[in-house]
Amino acid sequence: MKTITKIIATSAAVVALFFTTNANAQSTQKLGIGLTAGLPTSDAYNFVGGIDLRYQFDIDKQLSIPVTAGYTHMFAKDITVGNTTLDGVDFGYVPVKAGVKYFFNDSGSGIYGLAELGAGFGTKSGSGTSFVYSPAVGYAWSNGLDLGVKYEGLARDGASTGFFGLRLAYGFSL
């Protein structure tokens, strides 16, 4: 699984670089910073929080190629066994994703759909690399504010987890 994840992440980066180096005069580039709060799908965690940077290359007013990287932290629940409570183990990872963002009108703002794929690099020793996938829908205002709802899933060695999250971001043109 590690090799497949690295191939996908590398392929996504190559595609993003291809689009950014072949930009025409009418395409725009944006950079945004976002905060995410979410509810995990696994009973082992209470809450998910994250921060990310997103570079977005606009192909035209409706279609963009985003490349996103950041840090996501899954806060563990405590485990009770009999009369003893043990601290749960938090999980942190660095997601690196590329995808496609499509606006449902031709203004370059409004309602959009987003699909991203990539790799999640665990921050603790031995946590490894996971395949990350993240579909989302959202609304982007022309002033740079962006509010989205997403699911982010991680898969590694036959196991998976994820979360449903709300992302609030601000972007600006480069």
Side-chain angles (χ1 to χ4, degrees), residues 111-133:
I111 298 172
Y112 65 83
L114 170 68
E116 293 180 297
L117 299 174
F121 302 97
T123 57
K124 287 188 180 177
S125 178
S127 59
T129 303
S130 301
F131 172 69
V132 176
Y133 52 98

Side-chain angles (χ1 to χ4, degrees), residues 40 72 77 93 100 104 122 156:
T72 303
K77 290 181 180 177
Y93 66 98
V100 177
F104 292 102
R156 179 174 170 250

Side-chain angles (χ1 to χ4, degrees), residues 13-174:
V14 168
V15 168
L17 286 173
F18 171 77
F19 281 113
T20 59
T21 56
N22 289 313
N24 62 36
Q26 296 196 3
S27 61
T28 60
Q29 300 174 43
K30 297 175 184 165
L31 184 65
I33 185 166
L35 297 173
T36 300
L39 297 174
T41 57
S42 168
D43 288 337
Y45 302 104
N46 282 322
F47 180 76
V48 177
I51 186 167
D52 64 60
L53 284 174
R54 178 175 289 159
Y55 169 78
Q56 181 174 304
F57 173 77
D58 296 338
I59 304 294
D60 60 29
K61 291 274 189 188
Q62 287 184 280
L63 185 63
S64 301
I65 305 296
V67 178
T68 308
Y71 176 74
T72 303
H73 195 88
M74 300 178 89
F75 296 90
K77 290 181 180 177
D78 291 338
I79 302 165
T80 303
V81 179
N83 293 332
T84 306
T85 300
L86 305 171
D87 290 336
V89 179
D90 291 356
F91 177 67
Y93 66 98
V94 175
V96 179
K97 306 174 287 185
V100 177
K101 186 176 188 180
Y102 180 78
F103 288 93
F104 292 102
N105 65 47
D106 60 2
S107 70
S109 61
I111 298 172
Y112 65 83
L114 170 68
E116 293 180 297
L117 299 174
F121 302 97
T123 57
K124 287 188 180 177
S125 178
S127 59
T129 303
S130 301
F131 172 69
V132 176
Y133 52 98
S134 184
V137 293
Y139 192 93
W141 286 267
S142 58
N143 65 1
L145 286 177
D146 185 321
L147 182 63
V149 177
K150 71 177 187 174
Y151 174 79
E152 185 158 297
L154 292 96
R156 179 174 170 250
D157 298 332
S160 64
T161 190
F163 68 92
F164 289 96
L166 184 65
R167 179 179 184 267
L168 178 62
Y170 178 75
F172 52 91
S173 295
L174 296 176

